[in-house]
Amino acid sequence: MNQNEALSIVKEHLTERRYIHTVGVMETAIELAKRFGVDEKKAELAAIFHDYAKFRPKEEMKRIIIKEQMAEDLLTYNTELWHAPVGAYLVEREIGIKDQDVLNAIKYHTSGRVNMTMLDKVIYVADYIEPGRKFPGVDDVRTLAKEDLDAALIQALKNTISFLMKQNQAIYPDTIKTYNDLVLGGKTE
Ligand code: DGI
Ligand code: FE
Ligand code: FE
């Protein structure tokens, strides 16, 4: 599957706005992959499909999480978390992507995970800093991403955690674990 084929598949599943975001994530992920020595093709593929399940009905996502025995605590926390693991599951089944590295980068692109791979980090950061993003503090993360992928990732996680806390929202435990793991230099498990 080449880039255009992949993009035309994913376009059918997204709104125009989300498709533009996806192209931004793809371009940013390729750039980060080059900069940090990550497989560019894997970064491209994971980026193109990272939000594949974003617009699936919540009930369908919930059903898949239960049936496939995905992390149970997902259902307790923000429904925004669901499209990442469900997306990984669906792109394997519906698109036939088998590459576990790519599937994991999709699966963990919202929550993060302990021991993130370089590919996971590239996708997480690209999703956060793509040119269409306007979060407060995004420019700091863009600057950090020019030199230090971990520093960019930590800053993106901090911003997301603070944002959720300001809104009195719960924080998914894996997001906190990811943050701790990075701050402690991978010594949490
Ligand atoms: O799908 P996108 O909008 O491109 O971005 P995303 O997959 O990073 O996730 C969407 C949102 O999910 C993110 O901006 C904040 C929200 N969210 C809700 N609860 C949590 C959470 N994000 C993390 N990392 N952890 C949470 O507990
Ligand atoms: Fe997403
Ligand atoms: Fe996204």
Side-chain angles (χ1 to χ4, degrees):
M1 197 183 345
N2 66 32
Q3 185 184 100
N4 282 335
E5 283 165 353
L7 283 172
S8 68
I9 292 170
V10 87
K11 198 173 199 293
E12 298 302 309
H13 296 267
L14 302 175
T15 59
E16 181 66 19
R17 187 186 148 90
R18 182 63 42 177
Y19 177 73
I20 293 166
H21 161 72
T22 294
V23 175
V25 176
M26 178 191 79
E27 287 166 351
T28 307
I30 293 170
E31 194 182 309
L32 292 175
K34 281 192 184 129
R35 186 173 303 150
F36 297 107
V38 172
D39 187 315
E40 287 171 43
K41 282 286 151 199
K42 291 191 189 211
E44 178 185 85
L45 194 60
I48 292 173
F49 287 102
H50 84 283
D51 276 340
Y52 180 77
K54 190 82 180 174
F55 300 103
R56 294 288 165 129
K58 296 263 189 296
E59 275 313 308
E60 183 188 344
M61 292 199 276
K62 191 172 176 179
R63 222 183 315 117
I64 293 171
I65 289 168
I66 294 167
K67 184 162 155 285
E68 297 306 317
Q69 299 178 309
M70 294 176 185
E72 252 173 51
D73 58 0
L74 275 171
L75 297 175
T76 311
Y77 293 87
N78 202 311
T79 56
E80 280 297 318
L81 294 157
W82 300 356
H83 72 286
V86 171
Y89 171 78
L90 291 175
V91 298
E92 180 170 10
R93 293 196 30 141
E94 297 179 0
I95 313 298
I97 294 173
K98 295 269 174 249
D99 187 318
Q100 280 305 319
D101 300 335
V102 170
L103 295 175
N104 281 331
I106 296 171
K107 184 171 181 180
Y108 298 109
H109 88 264
T110 305
S111 61
R113 63 165 163 169
V114 170
N115 288 326
M116 285 173 84
T117 64
M118 286 295 280
L119 180 64
D120 295 346
K121 293 175 183 179
V122 160
I123 298 302
Y124 194 102
V125 171
D127 190 23
Y128 196 85
I129 66 171
E130 63 89 3
R133 293 293 208 191
K134 293 189 172 62
F135 304 130
V138 67
D139 278 334
D140 296 339
V141 182
R142 288 186 178 120
T143 303
L144 290 168
K146 298 208 177 301
E147 309 254 329
D148 185 337
L149 190 60
D150 279 359
L153 177 58
I154 291 171
Q155 192 58 46
L157 282 160
K158 264 193 204 176
N159 290 353
T160 301
I161 292 167
S162 317
F163 166 81
L164 291 167
M165 289 183 81
K166 277 183 201 134
Q167 298 212 335
N168 293 317
Q169 292 201 54
I171 317 291
Y172 187 53
D174 282 9
T175 301
I176 302 282
K177 284 186 192 167
T178 307
Y179 170 78
N180 285 340
D181 187 53
L182 288 157
V183 169
L184 296 171
K187 297 196 184 80
T188 53
E189 278 198 347

